[in-house]
Amino acid sequence: MAPKLKIDPPLLNSACPWSTTLEDIKALYDSPHTGAVTIRTSLLEGFSHDDSIHQYLFFTPGKTIPSKPPKGEDSKPTSKSAPSEPISTLNTLGYSPLTLSEYLGIINEIVGQRHLGTDTPTKKPFILSVAGTPDEIAMAYALIANAAEMDEDLRLAMEVNLSCPNLKDAPPPAYDPAQLAEYMEAISDSKSTYRGRMAGPESVPKVGIKLPPYTYVSQFENVVAAMRKAVSTEPGEGCVLDFITCTNTLGSSLLLDSDLNPVLNSEAGTGIGGLAGAALHPLALGNVATFRRLLDQHDETTGVAIIGVGGVEDKAGFERMRKVGAQAVACASALGRYGVAVFERITKGD
């Protein structure tokens, strides 16, 4: 079965703080080195972001963090940092303060400029990362599908974030097989509803799920089993998912400063958050490799693409991800560290 998702070149950003604003998204869209743009995870009604609670930090694994270090953009390594120095991030972020509808408006504005002949002439896919209950995900798909139906210039996909580790009393649904099944059912129903209304199969917005890092085989097998049960009613199409994104940040991670206090604040007040960047890379590679092997064992799932994420910031990291089965490779921490220029850096091997 041929892969269901086409991203060319196979390089993009993952949902992150650096894909939040119109300026962020337009810069990613205009880069000739990105094959798609992923929007920061949004909710139908927006998220109450609070800078005093929802934070992030760049750091070098194995090095002591000074007392009261700069956070957010102020924590980004300077140009004096050694280029080969491995950089990771820890974050206690939630979702975007902008709503899904606001992001659809931003996309319309960016793509609309194409008609004026002023910007990127190619049609590049936008992946809208969303979160919420299964019913809210169904509503989100309806908004995205309606937007795609109204403007044939929009190439839209939906990524359901089932893996944010930072929300108090809201553990990632992707760790729970019962919850995962509920989301798969909502996705299946949504795609079935809109299939008959769209111009053709290719115009139906693609759907994927963003998964957390898994650490033992039964976790991977539970996900693949849920995917095998969620089969499209369309003959020969297989699983209703077009792609999976793995991995999100590794939760339950903590940094202490030189005074042995938590470096970041968090909703729970513990400073525990999600780990990303260089420290996550080996686990991310293992997740991509394991999922590719398991997905390829079954006719229903062999066509599901994988977007590999985790610690890629150069051409070698990109090639490692591709080698283990990622159809496309995405960056977050490296985007925050280097800006949009990181995609040229990866492409050319600088």
Side-chain angles (χ1 to χ4, degrees):
M1 184 182 295
K4 301 178 179 184
L5 187 69
K6 297 177 182 177
I7 297 176
D8 186 23
L11 187 60
L12 70 160
N13 67 293
S14 61
C16 63
W18 306 284
S19 60
T20 299
T21 67
L22 185 152
E23 292 75 20
D24 294 336
I25 296 164
K26 189 175 186 308
L28 290 162
Y29 184 79
D30 286 344
S31 170
H33 303 288
T34 59
V37 177
T38 306
I39 311 297
R40 185 177 178 183
T41 303
S42 63
L43 304 171
L44 292 176
E45 301 297 331
F47 180 80
S48 298
H49 176 86
D50 182 341
D51 284 336
S52 69
I53 297 174
H54 305 111
Q55 303 178 335
Y56 65 90
L57 177 89
F58 289 87
F59 71 99
T60 302
K63 288 193 175 182
T64 299
I65 298 171
S67 177
K68 298 180 180 179
K71 300 167 187 174
E73 284 296 298
D74 293 337
S75 72
K76 188 183 298 185
T78 67
S79 58
K80 296 179 182 178
S81 300
S84 61
E85 189 174 57
I87 297 295
S88 296
T89 56
L90 186 77
N91 84 79
T92 56
L93 296 168
Y95 303 129
S96 175
L98 300 184
T99 66
L100 174 59
S101 293
E102 287 176 305
Y103 278 129
L104 288 169
I106 286 173
I107 291 171
N108 268 309
E109 181 174 344
I110 292 171
V111 175
Q113 292 176 355
R114 291 178 60 256
H115 299 300
L116 303 178
T118 58
D119 286 286
T120 308
T122 57
K123 296 180 182 178
K124 189 175 292 187
F126 290 94
I127 301 174
L128 290 125
S129 182
V130 299
T133 66
D135 286 345
E136 289 168 339
I137 294 305
M139 294 174 65
Y141 187 84
L143 287 173
I144 294 169
N146 285 334
E149 191 176 21
M150 291 175 63
D151 187 346
E152 62 181 16
D153 279 340
L154 294 183
R155 296 181 59 194
L156 304 180
M158 182 175 78
E159 176 189 87
V160 184
N161 187 341
L162 301 179
S163 48
C164 179
N166 296 333
L167 303 180
K168 187 179 180 182
D169 301 322
Y175 284 118
D176 183 340
Q179 288 190 70
L180 183 58
E182 291 180 14
Y183 280 95
M184 297 292 287
E185 183 178 359
I187 292 168
S188 180
D189 291 345
S190 297
K191 289 187 78 173
S192 296
T193 297
Y194 278 85
R195 182 178 300 283
R197 292 177 46 175
M198 308 300 279
E202 287 301 314
S203 61
V204 178
K206 307 296 185 185
V207 182
I209 54 177
K210 189 172 188 179
L211 296 170
Y214 295 116
T215 57
Y216 55 94
V217 69
S218 64
Q219 293 176 311
F220 296 95
E221 291 172 342
N222 285 338
V223 175
V224 174
M227 292 171 65
R228 292 184 65 198
K229 291 178 182 177
V231 175
S232 171
T233 56
E234 192 73 9
E237 187 169 303
C239 179
V240 296
L241 292 184
D242 301 287
F243 65 97
I244 60 173
T245 301
C246 62
T247 72
N248 205 335
T249 57
L250 177 63
S252 299
S253 300
L254 178 65
L255 289 175
L256 301 180
D257 63 21
S258 57
D259 293 330
L260 302 183
N261 295 314
V263 173
L264 299 180
N265 293 329
S266 65
E267 281 192 6
T270 60
I272 291 175
L275 177 70
L280 185 66
H281 188 59
L283 183 57
L285 282 176
N287 271 245
V288 172
T290 301
F291 269 120
R292 188 70 274 161
R293 176 175 57 81
L294 293 177
L295 292 173
D296 286 346
Q297 290 177 1
H298 308 286
D299 291 342
E300 305 96 328
T301 54
T302 188
V304 176
I306 298 177
I307 299 176
V309 189
V312 173
E313 64 171 45
D314 56 22
K315 188 173 183 179
F318 170 85
E319 290 176 344
R320 286 191 292 269
M321 274 289 184
R322 293 276 284 173
K323 175 67 176 179
V324 299
Q327 184 176 326
V329 179
C331 302
S333 296
L335 173 61
R337 181 182 187 184
Y338 297 106
V340 175
V342 72
F343 298 107
E344 181 176 8
R345 181 175 185 260
I346 292 172
T347 300
K348 296 183 177 180
D350 296 339

